[in-house]
Amino acid sequence: MFTLAHLSDPHLPPLPKPRFAELCNKRMLGFLNWERGRKKFHCPEALEAIVRDVKASDADHIAVTGDLINLSLPAEYPRASAFLASLGQAKDVTLVPGNHDVYIRGVEQSPAAFWGDYMRGDDGLERFPFLRRRGNAALIALSTALPTAPFLATGRLGKRQLDRVADILDQTRDAFRIVLIHHPPRSTLQRYLKRLTDAAALRGVLAEKGAELLLHGHDHRCSLMQLTGPHGKKILAVGAPSASASATHGGEDAAGYNLFRIDGEAGNWRCAMTARQRGADGTVRVTEERQLF
Ligand SMILES: [Fe+2]
């Protein structure tokens, strides 16, 4: 049995006070957005409750699917390093970055510089996609994070990652293959400006090579969608809410995370999912249990 905890989008609160010069770019819009609303919804108490609950769970490994921070301010990266360390050692925590982790041009190397240990494959290399085998699972980590123009929060994988993930999915057929990615593999029209631009190509790779599970964040919602694998087999894609959301608001869910208990072997997998969410009284409890396999 291998147990994986998946949390996403902690958007570490509170936001450190930015210097004016640091806001003379797309950050200004993000800062206004934070001040006008988001800072009410991403609260340290909610995140602390979720982290406490994750630590008290029987998880063997933790996956974090991006948006550790908010505006990619220089002061945010070391704080996120401390957050990762609070979750566990780098060998036990796998991170993929989100669009807020590379919010503007010029910070593309910052996630690797600060959090590289959490984004390194078993081969010791820092490159995406990377592969970590843990228990009977293969964790396949993709990066969709790249700076975008104001009002956009799109992500992109690119041909190099898509080609390599196809190879990795081939090589790990013996394992329970879990794809970790920030952006969802399909977005609604309302989230067109926040979509993964080459999602169709990713779905094509999954349809050809297969995977057992895909875990994502970005939408700040508890979600479950079905993708098509080889021979019409279903691949489930599970979205986690923001781990710091104080409450349900504007279509986003209250803080929570998911646990996946994986057992069996290729051709005969068992996987049970438990969703845990923080309620209005501040306690974290089971909100859904589902047998996925
Ligand atoms: Fe986010």
Side-chain angles (χ1 to χ4, degrees):
M1 168 95 74
F2 173 74
T3 303
L4 177 70
H6 170 221
L7 61 98
S8 199
D9 297 74
H11 288 280
L12 284 179
L15 188 71
K17 197 170 161 42
R19 290 185 293 119
F20 182 74
E22 290 171 343
L23 295 179
C24 294
N25 45 44
K26 179 186 169 180
R27 283 194 189 119
M28 181 59 89
L29 280 171
F31 180 67
L32 293 174
N33 192 23
W34 177 266
E35 286 296 315
R36 283 180 189 158
R38 300 215 69 85
K39 77 173 178 187
K40 274 193 293 212
F41 298 113
H42 294 290
C43 79
E45 295 75 25
L47 184 58
E48 281 159 21
I50 294 300
V51 170
R52 237 186 345 264
D53 204 76
V54 171
K55 301 281 284 179
S57 76
D58 56 353
D60 299 302
H61 197 90
I62 301 172
V64 186
T65 49
D67 281 2
L68 289 186
I69 57 178
N70 299 289
L71 305 180
S72 294
L73 292 164
E76 288 187 284
Y77 290 98
R79 293 176 65 222
S81 302
F83 168 74
L84 288 169
S86 78
L87 291 179
Q89 296 181 55
K91 69 177 176 53
D92 300 321
V93 180
T94 299
L95 171 71
V96 299
N99 48 298
H100 282 263
D101 302 320
V102 192
Y103 201 63
I104 58 165
R105 274 199 211 124
V107 301
E108 292 89 337
Q109 303 309 318
S110 296
F114 284 89
W115 316 325
D117 289 347
Y118 296 82
M119 303 194 299
R120 189 175 294 136
D122 291 336
D123 58 9
L125 300 178
E126 275 179 35
R127 63 168 179 187
F128 285 97
F130 67 80
L131 166 66
R132 287 177 157 192
R133 283 182 179 261
R134 297 291 184 272
N136 50 8
L139 303 171
I140 301 162
L142 308 181
S143 174
T144 57
L146 76 179
T148 56
F151 303 109
L152 287 183
T154 50
R156 186 171 174 275
L157 287 163
K159 186 174 182 315
R160 196 192 58 77
Q161 279 199 83
L162 287 163
D163 287 348
R164 208 171 122 68
V165 77
D167 290 343
I168 293 175
L169 288 167
D170 253 343
Q171 292 158 14
T172 52
R173 285 179 190 277
D174 59 308
F176 190 92
R177 296 165 295 179
I178 305 173
V179 175
L180 304 174
I181 184 169
H182 178 68
H183 288 77
R186 193 189 295 128
S187 293
T188 59
L189 204 53
Q190 291 97 308
R191 287 185 63 83
Y192 185 77
L193 300 179
K194 302 183 176 193
R195 74 197 188 285
L196 177 65
T197 56
D198 47 6
L202 173 63
R203 294 197 302 271
V205 169
L206 294 170
E208 189 189 337
K209 303 295 182 184
E212 278 56 53
L213 193 61
L214 180 147
L215 305 179
H216 69 86
H218 192 54
D219 291 345
H220 298 191
R221 296 188 73 159
C222 307
S223 67
L224 184 69
M225 71 174 91
Q226 284 186 5
L227 306 174
T228 308
H231 314 297
K233 217 177 126 199
K234 286 169 195 146
I235 300 172
L236 293 176
V238 181
S242 161
S244 64
S246 57
T248 300
H249 66 280
E252 300 188 5
D253 287 317
Y257 72 102
N258 297 316
L259 282 168
F260 299 90
R261 294 188 177 85
I262 298 151
D263 213 350
E265 62 283 315
N268 185 30
W269 292 117
R270 291 180 295 285
C271 176
M273 174 184 139
T274 303
R276 293 182 66 85
Q277 262 187 294
R278 182 174 175 266
D281 64 356
T283 61
V284 180
R285 66 187 73 140
V286 174
T287 48
E288 191 182 354
E289 284 189 290
R290 189 188 278 258
Q291 193 69 36
L292 300 181
F293 278 79

